[in-house]
Amino acid sequence: MAQCVQSVQEFIQDSFVPMVAVLCSEDAERVTRKNNLSFPELLRPFCRLTSEGHLRDPNNQVVVVKGLRISVTGINTRPPQSPELHRLLSQAVSVCQPPEGSPANVITAGDYDLNISATTPWFETYRENFLQSMPASEHEFLNHYLACMLVVSSREAVPTEQFLKLSQEQHRIQHSGEYTHPKWFIPNTLKYYVLLHDISEGDEQRADSVYEDMKQRYGTQGCYLLKINSRSGSTGADEQMPDPWSQYLHKTSIHNPELYEEYAVSNAVENNIGAEEDGLDPSIRDGVSETPPLQLDHPTDAGYPGNDASQSVNNVDETRPQKQASGTSHTSPTPRGTCLTLNDHDHIRQFIQEFTFRGFLPHIEKNIRQLNDQLVSRKGLSRSLFSATKKLFGGGKVPEKSIAELKNTAGLLYPSEAPELQIRKMADLCFLVQHYELAYNCYHTAKKDFLSDQAMLYAAGALEMAAVAAFLQSGAPRPYPAHYMDTAIQTYRDVCKNMLLAERCCLLSAEILKSQVKFSDAATLLIKMTSEDSDLRSALLLEQAAHCFINMRSPMVRKFAFHMILAGHRFSKAGQKRHALRCYSQALQVYKGKGWTLAEDHINFTIGRQSFTLRQPENAVAAFRHILINDSKQSAGQQAAFLREYLYVYKSMSQLSGDGSLPQLPLPCLHSSQTRVFFGHERRLAEGEKQAATHVSLEQEFDRDLSQLWRELEERVVSVANRGTVPITFQPSQCCLNSQTDNLRYPLAVVEEPIIVEVVFRNPLKVPLALSALSLLWKFTLKGFSDPQGGATGETVSNEKEVRLLIVSRLFVPEARLKLLPHKTGELHVLGVVYNLGTGEVGNSEGDLVCVRGQQNLEIQGPRLNMTKEEKTSVGYGPDRRLDPIITPPMPLLELFTLQEIN
């Protein structure tokens, strides 16, 4: 798995934290709303204790509690149901992307240097949100409320009466039987009375007086006076205050509906782009699952407090002010804590510490002792559970029968006073306050009782937490029982049909195995938890499995790449296009250039699709281009599909760019070295017409011996004309240049005489290509040769901007002859060929084809230099000037007339 910010111990402790409910009066809620925060939101950044806490276990041993975090929520905060939970988790993953410009993380594995993600914050975000949104269950108490804060404003006429009303309301919610949620840990829930005083508008002396009365009523350990809002609108208006709430409220949409709305809008735009511009072939399109990938297995429970608008019960999310109309900008988040000073921050932090150390932990300690006493008396034990014999607690394993053979009493519900549940309750209490040894003993005992009753849901829960508690024990007195977790996962998934709990087990166990460098076991576990019911979960787990393979002592590179591809496929089905593109791009590093052409084609095609959907046309064109430039092993139908997608993406990119540039086309293959250049008029074979006096034409093959014969004849003529000597500057005439002629010198062409360039193409595909509107791309520099000094050089012109059609519409032959007719003297450079590329499907008119216009450069490598010693010991090539003719003034043209004798 990828590296995580938290240690495994911190991750597990933050996954199971004591739950505290909040019940506010309306006026108290108004005081906190001045800061655009509810009361639970106000406390959230300060809910992790920075100092140690202490309590005593039933054996009177001191337990040290370090880094404890508590979860404070509104009393009617509802766990999200299946469709909502799926949306929230999907959004949390989507908005968490790798930071742009982050330094590369290169892992060397054998012959590979892989640039992969060192961390996967999107997975940690998903995991955190998933665990925080776990619904409270009947078989465990970890997500049940242990305490309730009753919050009243000091401005109330009679605050004690308001406290009484809130206390009665909490009692009714817990004990009336009207509500199935929220769930409460123990009958005697701790009630903690908080007097909230607004310094900016309240009477501080009256608040102090009320608080003194509260201490008499509830005891100093059961109440607190919290003073906030020290900062008025005119005081320190320009002072920049820290915003500790942003990292909690902006982190995910589970606590931030505004962020979810922004995500939904951007996601809709992205999907519209894919729907409107996606020219992908339907036969190879990946399907997108419309079924919510994460299904809650619990039936929907009715009866949440707070459904009645007249009730004064608080919900963190429901009490948030409605979002403004569409004119509100998403780029300017709502300011929070604007009425608070740093002293107020300290007051809130001190309040949480007082609540925890003087009220909360003593309350838990007392209940652990009471539960221990009850269990000892009921079971007839002579000593406490903490000091029970090894025979009772130790060594027992899961029964020899497999889980599948055991009878599943899924409908079994223990009464609340059942000893088995009391043991589980005590185990959960000990676990929440980090007394892992006693928690393990209790879980172990409860596990055996549940298995005896074949209460498999309860047994799986006890096995899960026994394994975690064993791992967290200080000093590691016993090894991590991974088989406990395996059995729990199998029971949750196959017997109880509860994928939510099975996934929780998987996330916990995989992180533990990773911390023990058991990457192979972690990868196996993660892969087993992939299924068709959730594409998002499967994608994330497959990606983590891939990281396990690459982090082994002997990295398994190909398994890493294979599982990254599987993860990318599932990300794509889950609508996570950016994450899918990232996974495929990382896998391509392994498959690229290794001869696995079919796999490489698939990856490049998918990268092209995702890049185009994400409005990255350059990346899309590059990916599709790679599929087409090599000798593809794909079938003709698949090649045709690839070509259509490339043409569509390329055309869309050209329309978006609008700059008129002509990028390089990958097809057909242009064999630059086979280019032939013919100077002058072609042979006219028709009777009665003049015919050029030349020994070559484009219709015949090059004959080296015949060419040498003509060269010698030309030298003799030149020698006779120069009184028996051949000038040093003599350059034999070459009417046709090719790869076998001497092209070291600039060839000569004559004004008003055509230059014919023959280019040779090769189609590497099994499907026909249609080329149309072919023309040469050239650059010309005007130069006058009549001046004795060589003439002045004029400006250089090019036809790159306006390339005219020089030959007819469609071409299916492997070569094309393009003609240039120079009208002025100067230096000409033929740069390449410009054409329209389309599919050559039979039966389609040109108007029905998707055609794109582009170019290919004519780049010819000259002969190998091998004359001097330096040239022989190095690799160098001379120039090839066949495409760089010098246009000279008019010259006499020799014509040959043959007269036919008349008999």
Side-chain angles (χ1 to χ4, degrees):
M1 295 171 72
Q3 299 174 10
C4 296
V5 176
Q6 290 179 306
S7 68
V8 60
Q9 288 81 7
E10 292 172 337
F11 157 64
I12 295 176
Q13 288 174 358
D14 282 357
S15 301
F16 303 99
V17 296
M19 302 283 293
V20 178
V22 170
L23 194 55
C24 285
S25 68
E26 292 183 4
D27 197 60
E29 190 67 23
R30 181 191 61 81
V31 173
T32 60
R33 280 297 167 201
K34 293 173 67 175
N35 296 284
N36 292 310
L37 296 164
S38 67
F39 189 77
E41 290 173 340
L42 179 73
L43 303 184
R44 191 165 296 149
F46 309 99
C47 285
R48 183 182 297 279
L49 301 181
T50 56
S51 55
E52 294 181 354
H54 302 85
L55 52 81
R56 292 186 178 272
D57 65 17
N59 215 33
N60 212 30
Q61 297 295 319
V62 175
V63 178
V64 178
V65 183
K66 298 180 179 179
L68 180 67
R69 185 174 71 88
I70 61 175
S71 176
V72 181
T73 59
I75 200 169
N76 62 343
T77 301
R78 308 184 182 193
Q81 298 303 302
S82 178
E84 181 188 5
L85 180 59
H86 166 59
R87 289 194 304 271
L88 294 174
L89 293 177
S90 179
Q91 174 259 334
V93 173
S94 181
V95 299
C96 189
Q97 298 290 336
E100 294 184 3
S102 57
N105 175 53
V106 179
I107 293 181
T108 301
D111 297 334
Y112 298 90
D113 290 324
L114 305 177
N115 183 4
I116 62 176
S117 305
T119 60
T120 51
W122 47 90
F123 170 71
E124 295 181 51
T125 298
Y126 169 89
R127 189 177 62 183
E128 178 184 351
N129 282 277
F130 172 82
L131 294 172
Q132 287 183 359
S133 62
M134 289 292 294
S137 305
E138 297 290 348
H139 75 290
E140 64 183 16
F141 303 92
L142 294 164
N143 287 350
H144 294 200
Y145 286 121
L146 274 162
C148 183
M149 293 181 180
L150 307 177
V151 187
V152 170
S153 169
S154 62
R155 293 192 62 184
E156 296 282 355
V158 186
T160 53
E161 290 185 3
Q162 282 294 326
F163 280 125
L164 179 60
K165 289 180 181 179
L166 294 181
S167 179
Q168 292 172 345
E169 180 68 18
Q170 188 279 329
H171 187 274
R172 185 181 69 84
I173 291 171
Q174 179 174 356
H175 298 289
S176 67
E178 299 177 23
Y179 306 108
T180 56
H181 284 81
K183 295 186 179 297
W184 303 89
F185 206 111
I186 44 184
N188 57 328
T189 297
L190 171 66
K191 296 177 183 178
Y192 197 80
Y193 300 86
V194 181
L195 184 65
L196 189 63
H197 178 63
D198 189 335
I199 296 177
S200 65
E201 61 182 20
D203 185 343
E204 191 164 355
Q205 289 186 349
R206 181 175 182 272
D208 292 336
S209 175
V210 173
Y211 180 54
E212 290 298 323
D213 183 53
M214 289 171 59
K215 288 192 289 186
Q216 295 297 322
R217 289 173 178 267
Y218 312 119
T220 55
Q221 75 284 352
C223 60
Y224 195 84
L225 171 60
L226 177 59
K227 300 179 181 181
I228 61 171
N229 294 350
S230 303
R231 188 183 186 194
S232 63
S234 59
T235 304
D238 298 330
E239 184 182 358
Q240 292 294 325
M241 295 295 294
D243 179 11
W245 298 273
S246 59
Q247 60 179 314
Y248 295 92
L249 305 184
H250 283 293
K251 197 169 188 179
T252 67
S253 64
I254 286 181
H255 302 298
N256 186 11
E258 295 179 9
L259 187 59
Y260 173 73
E261 182 176 331
E262 181 177 350
Y263 153 79
V265 171
S266 63
N267 198 45
V269 172
E270 184 174 290
N271 290 338
N272 287 337
I273 292 170
E276 295 173 1
E277 300 181 354
D278 190 359
L280 303 178
D281 186 70
S283 64
I284 50 178
R285 183 190 305 274
D286 288 334
V288 177
S289 173
E290 296 181 357
T291 306
L294 190 57
Q295 298 290 343
L296 284 172
D297 300 294
H298 294 285
T300 302
D301 291 317
Y304 278 89
N307 291 337
D308 185 353
S310 64
Q311 295 178 351
S312 60
V313 204
N314 307 111
N315 186 321
V316 172
D317 296 321
E318 289 184 349
T319 53
R320 181 182 297 277
Q322 294 296 317
K323 186 169 178 62
Q324 299 295 324
S326 58
T328 303
S329 172
H330 294 293
T331 58
S332 55
T334 304
R336 295 180 171 88
T338 53
C339 297
L340 302 176
T341 64
L342 292 178
N343 284 335
D344 290 333
H345 292 191
D346 293 336
H347 293 162
I348 300 171
R349 189 177 293 107
Q350 182 66 27
F351 158 64
I352 292 295
Q353 182 164 313
E354 287 290 315
F355 162 75
T356 305
F357 292 160
R358 301 187 63 181
F360 194 53
L361 288 181
H363 176 74
I364 293 177
E365 176 184 318
K366 181 179 71 174
N367 279 276
I368 290 176
R369 289 178 176 273
Q370 289 177 351
L371 286 169
N372 180 73
D373 294 342
Q374 293 172 12
L375 291 170
V376 169
S377 61
R378 288 184 182 183
K379 284 185 170 287
L381 302 176
S382 59
R383 286 177 289 179
S384 72
L385 283 170
F386 178 70
S387 57
T389 62
K390 182 177 180 181
K391 180 179 179 181
L392 177 63
F393 291 117
K397 293 185 178 181
V398 181
E400 293 182 359
K401 289 185 178 181
S402 68
I403 293 298
E405 294 174 324
L406 291 173
K407 178 182 177 182
N408 175 28
T409 54
L412 174 62
L413 289 176
Y414 290 98
S416 58
E417 67 276 3
E420 294 85 355
L421 278 191
Q422 300 305 309
I423 295 177
R424 173 63 201 250
K425 188 175 292 186
M426 181 174 172
D428 287 347
L429 267 180
C430 294
F431 187 91
L432 291 174
V433 294
Q434 304 175 12
H435 194 348
Y436 299 118
E437 184 176 359
L438 182 52
Y440 172 81
N441 290 335
C442 293
Y443 286 130
H444 198 280
T445 301
K447 175 262 299 184
K448 294 195 294 185
D449 291 341
F450 293 140
L451 285 173
S452 297
D453 296 337
Q454 297 188 26
M456 301 313 297
L457 178 63
Y458 293 87
L463 283 167
E464 173 190 8
M465 297 310 298
V468 175
F471 171 75
L472 290 176
Q473 287 185 50
S474 59
R478 52 178 59 86
Y480 169 62
H483 61 286
Y484 277 18
M485 275 294 196
D486 295 339
T487 305
I489 292 173
Q490 182 184 356
T491 305
Y492 282 142
R493 184 183 58 194
D494 301 334
V495 179
C496 305
K497 309 299 181 184
N498 193 316
M499 287 298 292
L500 230 61
L501 293 173
E503 182 178 352
R504 183 179 73 180
C505 276
C506 173
L507 295 174
L508 295 172
S509 188
E511 193 67 27
I512 293 172
L513 292 170
K514 184 191 75 169
S515 71
Q516 298 179 337
V517 201
K518 297 178 180 179
F519 290 108
S520 179
D521 294 341
T524 301
L525 177 62
L526 291 163
I527 294 169
K528 283 182 179 179
M529 274 303 297
T530 60
S531 61
E532 293 302 318
D533 68 311
S534 172
D535 289 313
L536 181 61
R537 180 186 71 236
S538 298
L540 290 163
L541 297 187
L542 285 167
E543 183 183 13
Q544 292 305 306
H547 280 278
C548 287
F549 288 124
I550 203 65
N551 282 303
M552 291 181 179
R553 287 190 176 92
S554 299
M556 306 179 75
V557 180
R558 284 182 289 180
K559 278 197 172 184
F560 160 78
F562 179 69
H563 286 85
M564 281 302 251
I565 290 175
L566 294 179
H569 175 68
R570 299 304 289 270
F571 271 128
S572 180
K573 291 180 68 178
Q576 301 284 342
K577 303 298 183 184
R578 296 184 186 277
H579 287 298
L581 176 59
R582 176 182 46 76
C583 288
Y584 276 101
S585 299
Q586 291 187 7
L588 182 60
Q589 299 174 92
V590 175
Y591 287 97
K592 187 176 182 180
K594 296 299 185 295
W596 302 325
T597 57
L598 295 180
E600 194 172 351
D601 285 351
H602 168 74
I603 297 172
N604 274 296
F605 177 74
T606 307
I607 290 175
R609 281 194 62 217
Q610 305 293 2
S611 298
F612 180 69
T613 304
L614 295 170
R615 299 188 78 93
Q616 301 174 10
E618 295 83 2
N619 293 340
V621 168
F624 281 119
R625 176 186 174 87
H626 188 83
I627 301 174
L628 301 173
I629 59 176
N630 296 325
D631 290 331
S632 174
K633 303 296 190 298
Q634 302 285 353
S635 64
Q638 194 74 16
Q639 288 180 0
F642 287 166
L643 178 59
R644 287 195 300 272
E645 308 314 328
Y646 171 79
L647 295 177
Y648 186 88
V649 171
Y650 179 94
K651 188 172 185 179
S652 301
M653 183 186 72
S654 300
Q655 292 172 348
L656 289 174
S657 64
D659 57 3
S661 60
L662 294 175
Q664 297 289 319
L665 290 175
L667 293 172
C669 295
L670 179 58
H671 293 287
S672 298
S673 62
Q674 298 182 28
T675 301
R676 296 196 295 173
V677 184
F678 188 87
F679 300 99
H681 298 281
E682 294 183 274
R683 288 181 177 177
R684 300 186 180 97
L685 302 180
E687 268 188 48
E689 291 190 5
K690 297 178 181 180
Q691 180 173 308
T694 178
H695 65 286
V696 296
S697 75
L698 290 172
E699 307 301 332
Q700 68 185 40
E701 295 293 331
F702 177 76
D703 188 326
R704 185 178 295 277
D705 294 335
L706 185 60
S707 177
Q708 181 63 27
L709 177 60
W710 280 95
R711 178 190 177 101
E712 292 172 358
L713 288 174
E714 186 176 4
E715 285 184 356
R716 292 180 186 177
V717 173
V718 172
S719 176
V720 171
N722 288 276
R723 300 179 182 180
T725 61
V726 178
I728 298 177
T729 58
F730 168 71
Q731 181 178 342
S733 301
Q734 295 186 106
C735 296
C736 185
L737 301 180
N738 55 45
S739 58
Q740 300 181 59
T741 57
D742 181 7
N743 305 322
L744 292 175
R745 299 180 180 180
Y746 291 96
L748 300 178
V750 182
V751 166
E752 304 299 339
E753 292 189 15
I755 302 171
I756 300 174
V757 180
E758 181 185 82
V759 290
V760 179
F761 297 103
R762 181 179 68 87
N763 182 5
L765 303 182
K766 302 172 185 175
V767 295
L769 303 174
L771 306 186
S772 61
L774 277 80
S775 64
L776 290 174
L777 181 65
W778 49 260
K779 181 174 65 174
F780 180 77
T781 302
L782 184 65
K783 190 172 184 180
F785 293 99
S786 58
D787 191 341
Q789 278 77 31
T793 300
E795 64 175 346
T796 300
V797 296
S798 171
N799 69 335
E800 184 176 4
K801 297 295 183 181
E802 298 179 1
V803 182
R804 299 181 179 181
L805 172 64
L806 296 181
I807 69 168
V808 293
S809 60
R810 301 176 69 189
L811 175 74
F812 292 92
V813 295
E815 64 184 26
R817 292 175 184 169
L818 306 169
K819 183 183 294 186
L820 291 173
L821 187 62
H823 298 292
K824 295 183 179 181
T825 60
E827 298 174 353
L828 177 66
H829 302 278
V830 179
L831 306 176
V833 60
V834 182
Y835 56 94
N836 291 341
L837 173 64
T839 58
E841 295 160 321
V842 179
N844 281 356
S845 64
E846 187 165 350
D848 298 330
L849 298 177
V850 177
C851 291
V852 298
R853 189 155 185 79
Q855 69 180 56
Q856 286 199 57
N857 293 335
L858 284 168
E859 298 174 345
I860 304 175
Q861 187 179 71
R864 169 77 184 272
L865 298 177
N866 199 28
M867 298 296 292
T868 66
K869 180 179 179 180
E870 183 180 350
E871 291 173 350
K872 291 179 180 180
T873 56
S874 62
V875 178
Y877 297 90
D880 190 302
R881 307 293 190 187
R882 77 183 85 166
L883 294 175
D884 303 317
I886 296 175
I887 312 300
T888 67
M891 297 183 184
L893 178 64
L894 175 66
E895 294 181 327
L896 175 66
F897 295 89
T898 58
L899 300 177
Q900 186 177 7
E901 293 183 2
I902 301 176
N903 295 329

